[in-house]
Amino acid sequence: EVRIMNCNTTGGLVASIAREAGLSGGKPVEGVLFGVRTSDEATSTTDEGVRTSVSSSTAALRHVVTGSRQSFYDSRGEIDGDRLAAIASTHGMGDMRAIGWFVGQKNRGTLRPSVRDAAVHRRLSQALAAGGAAEPCMLLLLNLEVDERASTQSVDYVCLSQLDPPSLRLSPVQSAVLNLTHDSLHEYGQLRALGNAHANAASLPASDVPPAHIVAFERSFDKTMRGLDAQLRDVEKVELEISQLMREAAILEAAVAPAGVALSV
């Protein structure tokens, strides 16, 4: 039997956990992941015999921050079942079930899980299996790298699971962000005219007015986009003119050239 497993997330979930990690004052922030699971089984016949492949996909769609360390388990890693059940009922998860947990931290420096992480993960896997979960529990480790001297921040994350239950070893699982399509023309179009969003900033409530430098950046970006649009229109106009000239040249060539003889330009 061949097993194929992946765990997908949403951009909003990753960004939200990164924000929590940034606001935690350097302490780890953790919580429970909720989502849905699907599983497909296929059978194929080869020279060696019949082979069965099972493909399971986990989608982490929502999360609940429970606090810092030992927020839903004790010092031995034992899971607080009542706390886990209360989290799901309080936050109205509907058809979504607990599919794992996450640990986020600022400037963690590594995405390797600790022995504590592995122990808690095993206990949580057992608790979810007792509640009817057939698929392995997932752990999302996230690191927000912040350098006060830099103008950008980086976010790294990895999805892990204990693929061999008797072992504490956590192995990476293929993961992707579901709602990011970098080649989407529609999303590219949404980048246009950002400066207009705050064109009437004076009429907005004070809480909605962004900092002055943000407004300036957006207006500068909008001006640049309008310039690029104008250049694209100029290029399209030139291409039309070239196409028209080529058609006219073809007509003239057909009219003056003897049959079977091509004119040289």
Side-chain angles (χ1 to χ4, degrees), residues 19-98:
R19 178 179 181 275
E20 295 289 346
L23 297 175
S24 65
K27 297 181 179 179
V29 58
E30 61 185 20
V32 183
L33 295 173
F34 291 86
V36 294
R37 285 192 168 106
T38 58
S39 181
D40 295 316
E41 182 175 317
T43 302
S44 59
T45 302
T46 65
D47 293 339
E48 289 76 22
V50 178
R51 184 178 65 176
T52 301
S53 61
V54 180
S55 176
S56 60
S57 178
T58 301
L61 303 176
R62 292 185 60 184
H63 72 292
V64 175
V65 177
T66 54
S68 190
R69 290 301 192 183
Q70 300 183 30
S71 57
F72 61 92
Y73 56 88
D74 61 21
S75 58
R76 297 176 298 172
E78 297 292 339
I79 305 300
D80 185 340
D82 294 336
R83 170 90 165 121
L84 204 60
I87 291 171
S89 60
T90 302
H91 292 82
M93 292 301 169
D95 294 334
M96 288 186 288
R97 304 184 63 176

Side-chain angles (χ1 to χ4, degrees), residues 206-229:
S207 58
D208 294 337
V209 177
H213 69 284
I214 297 297
V215 175
F217 285 149
E218 289 184 342
R219 287 174 177 167
S220 176
F221 180 80
D222 184 50
K223 182 179 179 181
T224 301
M225 293 300 295
R226 288 198 301 269
L228 289 175
D229 284 337

Side-chain angles (χ1 to χ4, degrees), residues 97 126-135:
R97 304 184 63 176
Q126 294 170 346
L128 295 182
E135 298 298 330

Side-chain angles (χ1 to χ4, degrees), residues 114-179:
S114 65
V115 175
R116 180 204 297 266
D117 293 336
V120 173
H121 192 86
R122 171 185 277 184
R123 294 286 191 272
L124 182 59
S125 297
Q126 294 170 346
L128 295 182
E135 298 298 330
C137 175
M138 296 294 171
L139 167 60
L140 174 65
L141 284 182
L142 181 143
N143 177 51
L144 173 65
E145 198 68 29
V146 178
D147 185 348
E148 302 297 339
R149 300 166 298 178
S151 59
T152 60
Q153 302 172 359
S154 63
V155 176
D156 299 310
Y157 71 95
V158 62
C159 287
L160 304 163
S161 186
Q162 288 173 342
L163 305 181
D164 183 17
S167 170
L168 285 176
R169 179 181 176 83
L170 284 160
S171 302
V173 175
Q174 182 179 359
S175 180
V177 178
L178 294 174
N179 58 337

